[in-house]
Amino acid sequence: MTRADDLRDVLVNHIAEVGFAAHGLHVRVGDDVATHRWAPDVREEIHSVAKAVAVLAAGIAVDEGLVSLDEPVARLLPGTAADDVTLRHLLSMSSGIDLPWSETMMTDWPDLAAEFVSRPSRGRTFQYSNASTYTAMHALSQRTGDIEGYLRPRLFAPLGLADVSWRRGPNGRVLGGEGLALRTEEMARLGLLIRDRGMLDGRRLVSAGVVDAMHAGWVDTGGTADGYSRYGLAGWEGPGRAWRLHGAHGQLIVFTGDAVVTISAHDHGGADGIAAFIAAQAA
């Protein structure tokens, strides 16, 4: 039995005890891997875990000298009301632009990105909204071309995801903050790349600094709950000493030390408890 086997077994037992509606589990500790499934191994929407892919897209563009994370969005999208808002602010939800999430936000305006950047900034105020990531990807595409096309040879193919498609909005742009469907193991590949700071199979896909920024330079969210008080570039600090990528309905990649635990699920309410248990067991 490896450390990954031991951790998997503890998690499987706990998930059974609490009744969390998990679909798949992938545990990596060091180089050891252990898995478990409760449901057929199909691709499922990863929801906000896709925000990490958006950050990686920006990071690769930074590495190629196409853009800076601290470049004003107004240079990329003329007509932006707030000249001091940058790509980093959009990706860390700290632009201060007030446009909260709603189920219909993609169709509430003829152009969500144009609506977003037309609004003034209130300063570095945190507001979690898919409009922010969507606008960041639209801005980035002004330098890279279509985001999915840009990522296919640079990220998707090296990760073995050459046939993955990113769902698009009414304007034909990738959704950015959601819209990717992956199997548990495929999502775990993303986790491995991030744990290893942009390296995969001896090849650097993105610079370490961009990956590190996912869980550094924290933005104070104003929240008080463990795991929701600070946000980086797509990553949440916590629970405990861990950090995580967290998509709706229980899509989780939890990082602590050399351990990465990836879960696909359909259980929104139970996800925080599972993340906390993972963090405590893997520490």
Side-chain angles (χ1 to χ4, degrees):
M1 294 282 285
T2 67
R3 290 189 297 158
D5 292 322
D6 291 339
L7 181 54
R8 176 205 53 203
D9 292 348
V10 168
L11 295 178
V12 168
N13 289 336
H14 180 73
I15 286 168
E17 289 173 3
V18 300
F20 181 68
H23 292 170
L25 170 67
H26 185 286
V27 177
R28 182 182 294 272
V29 183
D31 293 329
D32 298 324
V33 171
T35 65
H36 187 85
R37 293 213 64 82
W38 294 264
D41 188 13
V42 298
R43 282 180 170 164
E44 301 181 67
E45 166 72 60
I46 65 173
H47 299 286
S48 286
V49 175
K51 291 178 173 66
V53 180
V55 171
L56 293 174
I60 292 169
V62 169
D63 293 342
E64 294 184 351
L66 299 177
V67 73
S68 165
L69 289 181
D70 298 310
E71 183 167 359
V73 175
R75 294 183 187 172
L76 302 168
L77 299 177
T80 301
D83 292 339
D84 63 340
V85 171
T86 67
L87 277 175
R88 189 185 301 274
H89 296 144
L90 294 181
L91 293 169
S92 61
M93 306 291 172
S94 61
S95 71
I97 297 172
D98 183 17
L99 203 165
W101 180 88
S102 76
E103 291 185 357
T104 60
M105 64 171 20
M106 289 294 163
T107 54
D108 284 343
W109 298 274
D111 186 330
L112 175 60
E115 176 64 28
F116 190 80
V117 299
S118 73
R119 300 186 179 196
S121 171
R122 300 162 294 165
R124 300 288 73 82
T125 301
F126 179 86
Q127 184 185 79
Y128 192 82
S129 175
N130 281 10
S132 192
T133 314
Y134 173 80
T135 302
M137 290 300 93
H138 176 47
L140 183 65
S141 73
Q142 306 308 300
R143 298 282 174 81
T144 65
D146 180 73
I147 297 297
E148 183 183 317
Y150 179 71
L151 286 180
R152 196 163 299 286
R154 294 169 172 85
L155 182 68
F156 292 160
L159 286 172
L161 307 174
D163 61 340
V164 166
S165 295
W166 206 330
R167 193 153 52 89
R168 297 170 184 267
N171 296 92
R173 304 167 191 151
V174 300
L175 297 185
E178 59 180 325
L180 285 171
L182 300 176
R183 296 182 176 89
T184 314
E185 188 272 335
E186 291 174 333
M187 189 161 56
R189 295 179 211 168
L190 180 64
L192 175 61
L193 174 69
I194 292 169
R195 186 202 69 174
D196 291 349
R197 304 179 69 217
M199 295 289 292
L200 187 72
D201 297 329
R203 175 185 174 188
R204 179 158 297 285
L205 301 187
V206 62
S207 64
V210 170
V211 176
D212 292 346
M214 290 184 174
H215 56 108
W218 297 110
V219 173
D220 186 354
T221 69
T224 57
D226 184 26
Y228 289 98
S229 63
R230 298 207 297 175
Y231 188 78
L233 292 184
W236 293 95
E237 184 185 39
R241 291 185 292 178
W243 73 277
R244 75 195 187 286
L245 302 172
H246 192 150
H249 309 294
Q251 319 323 307
L252 293 168
I253 307 179
V254 181
F255 301 86
T256 177
D258 66 346
V260 185
V261 177
T262 304
I263 289 183
S264 301
H266 189 74
D267 191 335
H268 194 77
D272 290 340
I274 291 297
F277 186 82
I278 292 169
Q281 296 298 315

